[in-house]
Amino acid sequence: MELRRVAVLISGSGTNLQALIDATKTGRVPVRIVLVLSSREDAYGLERARRAGIPTLVVSPKDHPSRADYDAAIGCALEEAGAEIVCLAGFMRLLGAELVRAWEGRMLNIHPSLLPAFPGLEVHERVLEAGMPVTGCTVHFVTPEVDAGPVIVQGVVPVLPGDTPEALRERVLEVEHRAYPRALDLVVRGRTRIEGERVVVRDEAPGERLLLHPMLARWIRP
Ligand code: GAR
């Protein structure tokens, strides 16, 4: 299958970017990452991209004070790279509605909760405060509303007694790293279609859009 051209937008450590690089390098997901764009020049993800030989670009809000200007710079960079699909992977800037609409159905995001629960920031702190026994991650198509949009894949993770936000973050990330390649694979193979508020997957196998943390998988086994 012809490789689809994907741009990944980051702001930080880029462990999800690394998961996407690994999945594409092995050919498991038919994608070529053509650009890694960061909102911060000190993002460690840039180093991951360089090591993988992927072109990088920093588009800092400091250089583009207005939202419209910032979005235009990102839009231009995506066009120039010839991106067909955009993955937000820990990209911590809000994108304006115009840019998001221009990429409707072609822009994905990962969020560390089971959306629509716990959108926004400090997710793991809030999950612990709320006393949830379960949390997870969501890969979804991006819509102008933040951390919303049709869900492609979710991963489920247990919350354990004595968990700290950091422990929970680590456990959720493990599943994020499997969920993002899975969701991107469904999209680039043309198996997803958006129907109103939801994603429909062609020839969907039971469980294909659901990942379990290994701990849960063990507990469920009879
Ligand atoms: C991930 O946990 C991702 O789900 C989250 O930022 C982290 C980035 O980690 N994204 C959001 O909260 C978006 N609302 P990474 O840089 O190691 O991939």
Side-chain angles (χ1 to χ4, degrees):
M1 190 184 160
E2 206 182 310
L3 301 183
R4 303 295 302 276
R5 298 172 67 88
V6 170
V8 183
L9 272 52
I10 61 163
S11 300
S13 138
T15 64
N16 277 291
L17 164 67
Q18 189 66 56
L20 293 174
I21 291 173
D22 294 346
T24 54
K25 279 271 139 105
T26 59
R28 191 155 49 89
V29 179
V31 154
R32 181 166 147 225
I33 303 178
V34 291
L35 175 68
V36 169
L37 184 155
S38 173
S39 62
R40 299 177 56 125
E41 62 193 34
D42 61 352
Y44 183 66
L46 288 169
E47 180 57 31
R48 297 178 190 275
R50 283 185 210 113
R51 257 193 267 141
I54 299 166
T56 60
L57 186 68
V58 176
V59 183
S60 167
K62 281 185 266 169
D63 304 323
H64 304 275
S66 88
R67 156 75 67 80
D69 204 28
Y70 188 67
D71 283 3
I74 290 187
C76 279
L78 296 175
E79 292 282 323
E80 268 170 36
E84 298 170 277
I85 290 167
V86 177
C87 290
L88 308 184
F91 184 70
M92 302 315 263
R93 305 297 310 180
L94 298 180
L95 295 173
E98 200 182 320
L99 181 65
V100 168
R101 286 210 187 90
W103 285 89
E104 202 173 341
R106 300 183 297 147
M107 185 181 273
L108 284 61
N109 180 44
I110 188 156
H111 182 77
S113 78
L114 291 171
L115 291 174
F118 303 103
L121 299 173
E122 307 204 329
V123 171
H124 307 304
E125 285 83 348
R126 288 186 288 131
V127 165
L128 291 173
E129 270 162 31
M132 308 304 287
V134 72
T135 185
C137 68
T138 304
V139 185
H140 62 96
F141 284 111
V142 176
T143 53
E145 198 188 332
V146 179
D147 296 330
V151 170
I152 307 165
V153 164
Q154 287 194 311
V156 183
V157 176
V159 180
L160 302 180
D163 260 347
T164 59
E166 189 50 31
L168 198 49
R169 194 182 76 89
E170 291 290 324
R171 200 175 307 125
V172 171
L173 271 174
E174 280 179 54
V175 175
E176 289 187 44
H177 299 160
R178 289 159 53 215
Y180 219 156
R182 172 83 62 93
L184 182 59
D185 189 64
L186 289 172
V187 172
V188 295
R189 288 179 194 275
R191 292 184 56 206
T192 53
R193 133 178 133 252
I194 299 174
E195 261 183 23
E197 306 273 293
R198 66 188 198 123
V199 169
V200 176
V201 172
R202 178 167 42 81
D203 300 330
E204 181 183 345
E208 210 178 0
R209 298 169 63 197
L210 169 65
L211 290 136
L212 297 182
H213 187 275
M215 212 173 257
L216 276 176
R218 264 200 312 276
W219 292 343
I220 285 170
R221 211 170 284 156

